[in-house]
Amino acid sequence: MSPEKYLLDWQTSQTNAESISPLLGQLYRQKGVEILLFGRQIVNASIIDIIKAHRVARRYTGSELSPGQTLAVIRVLNELDLSPCRIDVGQLAHSYWKTNDDDSNISDFLHTALLESLNSTQSLETRDVVLYGFGRIGRLLARLLIEKSGQGYPLRLKAIVVRGGKHGDLEKRASLLRRDSVHGQFNGSITVDEERKAIIVNGNYIQMIYANSPADVDYTAYNINNALIVDNTGMWRDTEGLSQHLSSKGAAKVLLTAPGKGDIKNIVFGVNESVIQENDTIISAASCTTNAITPVLKAINDKYGIHSGHIETVHSFTNDQNLIDNFHSGERRGRSASLNMVLTSTGAAKAVSKALPELAGKLTGNAIRVPTPNVSMAVANLNLDLNADKDELNEYLRNIALNSALSGQVDYTQSTEIVSSDIVGSRHAGVVDGAATIAQDKRCVLYIWYDNEFGYSCQVVHCMEQMMGVRYKTYPEIK
């Protein structure tokens, strides 16, 4: 191919991606249809990100998928009377173009592939959401909910509850949402309404409520009803403590963004979300590490069987550590997080069994906190029931990431140059580093990267949707 042809092809891709973008918005905001491309969200994506998402097609299919081919499918999708759902246009476009030379049969193809959605009577029912606490996870959840907001998305962020209320507090909170040292600038507009104690984010009116406890809050006074309260504080982790939220007028359910204690269901979306019942009022989204490792461990256990194992977590420091040496109730955590590797405990390995009971008693775990602000790694040293070959094991995990029911949780990379900062912003619960995999006889060592803030927050949003009954089906269905 001539040098000029590369530039011409790139400009053609840009033109087609520019045509794709408004159609995605129309499908999402008018019909409640969220378009994915091989599992990657492309609603609100930039033109360059849409093009880059198409390049991923080679990992899934072994061949190119052009924005022009996708555009032809999306144009027809926009004409169909679809019910709210999620559609992976990458999977559909690949299936169509591998057996067709032109776009004349796209309509018939889509009517067959999406028959269930076309015949569905499912309608949009908006549900109110309140973030109780506005720290690292709270602010990322706000970003994600605002990113998804529109007529086509049923979860509406209506309020944020924090302590304080001193002069300038509202502007400070807005500023922390607007700028983030790890995750970058917020993509949009944020204004402050001091008189009504609210922030307006990309057109979303969000009430800031100042309270010292759930008992101080009446959500109905802010026209908030039957709301899901997402507790990001970690102050209460058992049923008794979290039940305080349910005594607040307007509150209906509670989701904890930390491991729950006692009989609280700990959910790792993609693994055990089916245990959430309509009458469950309190659940936990477990921990970032549990979410990162459980889907991978499930995949390994399904094929090879896990006899025993040890999970060592190399974890970025967190807000509960000290910046410099100072008193801390936890062992070693009083030492400077910015200057030391700090050996500490983790309950993540044991917590896996709450989502995956077949691994109960089979795993141990420890953690090393390291001086990085975000992205962690779990090293899973596993004893298997069957022999495992590195290439075979990697191929299996690659297929899990590309084409399985766990593809939304597990990602895979074969890069020999990837480092932790490359994982910032990953929407997957965990990313298997295939280049580092070790396998010999009935032993293997897996290295799993994860954005312990953003990737975990994406899992929390999935749990929110499932808990409130607004998790829409994805087509084509992957089993």
Side-chain angles (χ1 to χ4, degrees):
M1 188 164 67
S2 68
E4 293 77 12
K5 185 68 164 54
Y6 286 106
L7 180 58
L8 181 61
D9 286 350
W10 175 259
Q11 291 173 337
T12 300
S13 293
Q14 278 186 305
T15 299
N16 288 325
E18 288 166 353
S19 298
I20 287 172
S21 186
L23 296 176
L24 299 178
Q26 291 173 30
L27 281 164
Y28 186 62
R29 293 178 179 85
Q30 296 176 12
K31 300 182 180 181
V33 175
E34 181 180 359
I35 300 297
L36 311 173
L37 196 122
F38 293 107
R40 282 157 171 76
Q41 182 177 305
I42 55 174
V43 177
N44 294 326
S46 70
I47 302 305
I48 298 301
D49 284 340
I50 290 174
I51 296 173
K52 288 171 67 176
H54 279 82
R55 294 181 62 84
V56 176
R58 288 178 297 180
R59 293 173 54 193
Y60 292 79
T61 67
S63 59
E64 294 279 355
L65 179 68
S66 73
Q69 291 174 313
T70 304
L71 174 60
V73 174
I74 292 175
R75 279 176 171 157
V76 178
L77 284 175
N78 217 45
E79 298 170 357
L80 300 180
D81 186 19
L82 296 164
S83 62
C85 63
R86 305 166 82 232
I87 296 176
D88 194 318
V89 73
Q91 298 279 6
L92 289 177
H94 169 68
S95 296
Y96 178 81
W97 288 108
K98 71 179 180 182
T99 56
N100 291 271
D101 296 325
D102 58 46
D103 59 7
S104 59
N105 297 316
I106 290 179
S107 182
D108 290 342
F109 170 80
L110 291 178
H111 273 87
T112 301
L114 303 174
L115 182 63
E116 185 178 344
S117 177
L118 289 166
N119 291 334
S120 174
T121 58
Q122 185 172 22
S123 60
L124 289 169
E125 180 183 354
T126 60
R127 305 300 299 270
D128 293 347
V129 174
V130 174
L131 298 179
Y132 197 95
F134 205 45
R136 298 296 296 155
I137 299 302
R139 292 195 293 274
L140 289 177
L141 289 176
R143 286 189 174 206
L144 285 166
L145 290 171
I146 292 161
E147 172 188 274
K148 288 174 168 284
S149 67
Q151 292 182 1
Y153 190 67
L155 294 183
R156 302 292 173 86
L157 176 57
K158 299 295 285 289
I160 298 165
V161 182
V162 294
R163 291 181 177 181
K166 295 180 180 179
H167 178 71
D169 182 274
L170 192 59
E171 183 58 54
K172 286 282 188 181
R173 304 282 183 182
S175 181
L176 284 169
L177 179 60
R178 187 181 290 117
R179 305 175 182 88
D180 191 287
S181 300
V182 171
H183 299 283
Q185 294 270 355
F186 173 76
N187 184 25
S189 170
I190 302 175
T191 57
V192 173
D193 186 336
E194 285 282 1
E195 183 178 349
R196 293 189 291 178
K197 300 299 181 186
I199 56 176
I200 297 88
V201 188
N202 289 3
N204 295 269
Y205 181 90
I206 303 169
Q207 186 70 52
M208 194 69 72
I209 302 173
Y210 293 98
N212 291 321
S213 73
D216 297 337
V217 186
D218 176 1
Y219 294 111
T220 61
Y222 304 98
N223 197 30
I224 298 171
N225 298 283
N226 298 315
L228 171 62
I229 313 301
V230 183
D231 189 318
N232 307 293
T233 67
M235 292 178 62
W236 309 285
R237 292 171 56 190
D238 57 14
T239 300
E240 181 181 1
L242 292 167
S243 292
Q244 297 177 72
H245 290 295
L246 299 176
S247 65
S248 300
K249 290 183 179 179
K253 297 188 177 186
V254 182
L255 173 59
L256 172 65
T257 61
K261 295 181 178 180
D263 60 354
I264 293 177
K265 294 177 180 178
N266 282 252
I267 304 301
V268 174
F269 193 88
V271 176
N272 71 328
E273 73 276 7
S274 62
V275 305
I276 300 176
Q277 301 298 313
E278 188 176 348
N279 61 354
D280 284 333
T281 54
I282 301 174
I283 68 166
S284 156
S287 72
C288 57
T289 302
T290 305
N291 274 269
I293 62 179
T294 304
V296 178
L297 292 174
K298 173 176 170 49
I300 294 296
N301 192 58
D302 285 349
K303 182 174 177 65
Y304 295 95
I306 296 176
H307 182 267
S308 62
H310 177 79
I311 311 296
E312 194 70 38
T313 305
V314 183
H315 201 293
S316 291
F317 61 73
T318 56
N319 200 46
D320 78 318
Q321 292 176 258
N322 291 329
L323 201 58
I324 58 174
D325 289 1
N326 206 345
F327 174 80
H328 194 294
S329 59
E331 295 179 355
R332 309 187 206 234
R333 293 199 183 192
R335 303 301 298 278
S336 170
S338 60
L339 295 175
N340 296 292
M341 294 190 294
V342 179
L343 183 62
T344 186
S345 61
T346 176
K350 186 181 294 186
V352 168
S353 63
K354 290 191 174 184
L356 206 58
E358 52 264 47
L359 295 185
K362 294 185 177 183
L363 301 173
T364 58
N366 246 1
I368 305 169
R369 297 290 180 93
V370 294
T372 53
N374 184 41
V375 178
S376 302
M377 171 182 280
V379 184
N381 195 326
L382 305 174
N383 298 307
L384 308 175
D385 294 333
L386 302 175
N387 287 333
D389 170 77
K390 176 181 177 177
D391 292 339
E392 177 194 78
L393 178 58
N394 274 345
E395 181 63 20
Y396 171 66
L397 290 172
R398 177 181 173 275
N399 288 333
I400 289 292
L402 299 182
N403 191 28
S404 81
L406 290 171
S407 61
Q409 284 65 53
V410 180
D411 200 3
Y412 178 90
T413 177
Q414 195 69 42
S415 172
T416 57
E417 298 297 330
I418 199 166
V419 294
S420 61
S421 60
D422 297 322
I423 305 298
V424 173
S426 170
R427 293 173 183 260
H428 288 82
V431 183
V432 176
D433 192 321
T437 297
I438 299 171
Q440 182 177 6
D441 300 327
K442 294 182 178 181
R443 286 187 60 249
C444 75
V445 183
L446 301 176
Y447 294 80
I448 306 162
W449 297 99
Y450 57 108
D451 184 324
N452 49 276
E453 295 183 336
F454 196 74
Y456 174 67
S457 295
C458 291
Q459 285 285 91
V460 172
V461 171
H462 298 331
C463 284
M464 292 165 62
E465 295 167 345
Q466 186 78 14
M467 194 177 189
M468 299 305 277
V470 294
R471 180 74 182 178
Y472 298 141
K473 190 169 182 178
T474 300
Y475 300 96
E477 188 175 5
I478 299 176
K479 299 179 180 179

